[in-house]
């Protein structure tokens, strides 16, 4: 069984994971995290496509093309979460269920991080659970799809 195809989308600066600010974002690189996500996907019986984009337009294009290929999206929009109405609109328009992930607890940091405009278009949000949040979001999106 190949199972559901899930897009795991990371936004700006997440390619820097593991290189700086380990007290906030941990010590694992994006490649380490993606390897764990792939392993978990295998256990859960789904497939994942892993993508990281620094550019807002490319993230929007990835979301726009998702309905043709993916049953669900796990997305860390990075700082775009706090102000990209364009990405929020793309998520709503795509109509593909999306769970937003933040590695850090964005509610316990600077004021500007307490708002997520993209989370208003998501079915749920995982924040503050470190990079484990991606695996938890993957489980949650699958359970949402399979219960539908
Ligand atoms: O907590 C998260 O996952 C964030 O989405 C990460 C974004 C930040 O702008 C959001 O407010 C919360 C930033 C990612 C930057 O990641 C770095 C990782 C290591 C070194 C430097 C930046």
């Amino acid at each position: 069984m190949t199972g559901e195809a899930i897009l795991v989308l990371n936004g700006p600066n997440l390619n820097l994971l593991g290189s700086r600010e380990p007290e906030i974002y941990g010590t694992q690189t994006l490649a380490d995290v993606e390897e764990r996500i792939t392993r978990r996907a295998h256990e859960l019986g789904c497939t994942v496509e892993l993508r990281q984009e620094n550019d807002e337009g490319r993230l929007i294009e990835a979301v726009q093309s998702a309905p043709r290929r993916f049953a669900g999206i796990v997305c860390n929009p990075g700082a775009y979460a706090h102000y990209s109405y364009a990405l929020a609109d793309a998520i709503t328009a795509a109509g593909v269920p999306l769970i937003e992930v933040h590695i850090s607890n964005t509610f316990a940091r600077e004021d500007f991080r307490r708002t997520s405009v993209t989370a208003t278009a998501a079915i749920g949000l995982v924040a503050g659970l470190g990079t484990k949040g991606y695996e938890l979001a993957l489980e949650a999106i699958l359970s949402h799809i399979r219960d539908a």
Side-chain angles (χ1 to χ4, degrees):
M1 182 184 91
T2 49
E4 301 85 350
I6 307 294
L7 174 64
V8 179
L9 192 55
N10 274 293
N13 297 311
L14 287 151
N15 54 314
L16 300 175
L17 270 185
S19 68
R20 265 171 279 141
E21 303 188 81
E23 64 292 353
I24 300 177
Y25 299 115
T27 54
Q28 293 211 315
T29 65
L30 183 59
D32 295 333
V33 175
E34 288 184 335
E35 195 181 308
R36 280 181 18 228
I37 295 169
T38 304
R39 215 176 304 137
R40 189 74 189 115
H42 188 72
E43 289 166 3
L44 292 167
C46 68
T47 60
V48 280
E49 181 163 308
L50 305 155
R51 195 159 160 188
Q52 188 273 329
E53 299 287 355
N54 287 318
D55 183 89
E56 184 180 15
R58 284 182 185 270
L59 284 170
I60 290 170
E61 281 161 13
V63 170
Q64 282 181 0
S65 58
R68 292 195 296 276
R69 298 183 52 208
F70 301 104
I73 306 173
V74 169
C75 178
N76 183 345
Y80 287 136
H82 310 310
Y83 66 95
S84 178
Y85 295 100
L87 184 55
D89 282 349
I91 295 166
T92 302
V96 176
L98 178 148
I99 295 185
E100 181 164 314
V101 174
H102 293 286
I103 298 166
S104 63
N105 180 355
T106 47
F107 299 96
R109 300 180 64 194
E110 302 94 323
D111 278 352
F112 78 90
R113 292 190 209 273
R114 291 189 184 189
T115 298
S116 172
V117 299
T118 48
T120 63
I123 62 162
L125 174 70
V126 178
L129 302 181
T131 53
K132 175 88 182 159
Y134 291 97
E135 288 144 281
L136 297 171
L138 186 63
E139 284 180 42
I141 199 86
L142 275 176
S143 134
H144 175 85
I145 293 162
R146 289 174 181 175
D147 287 352

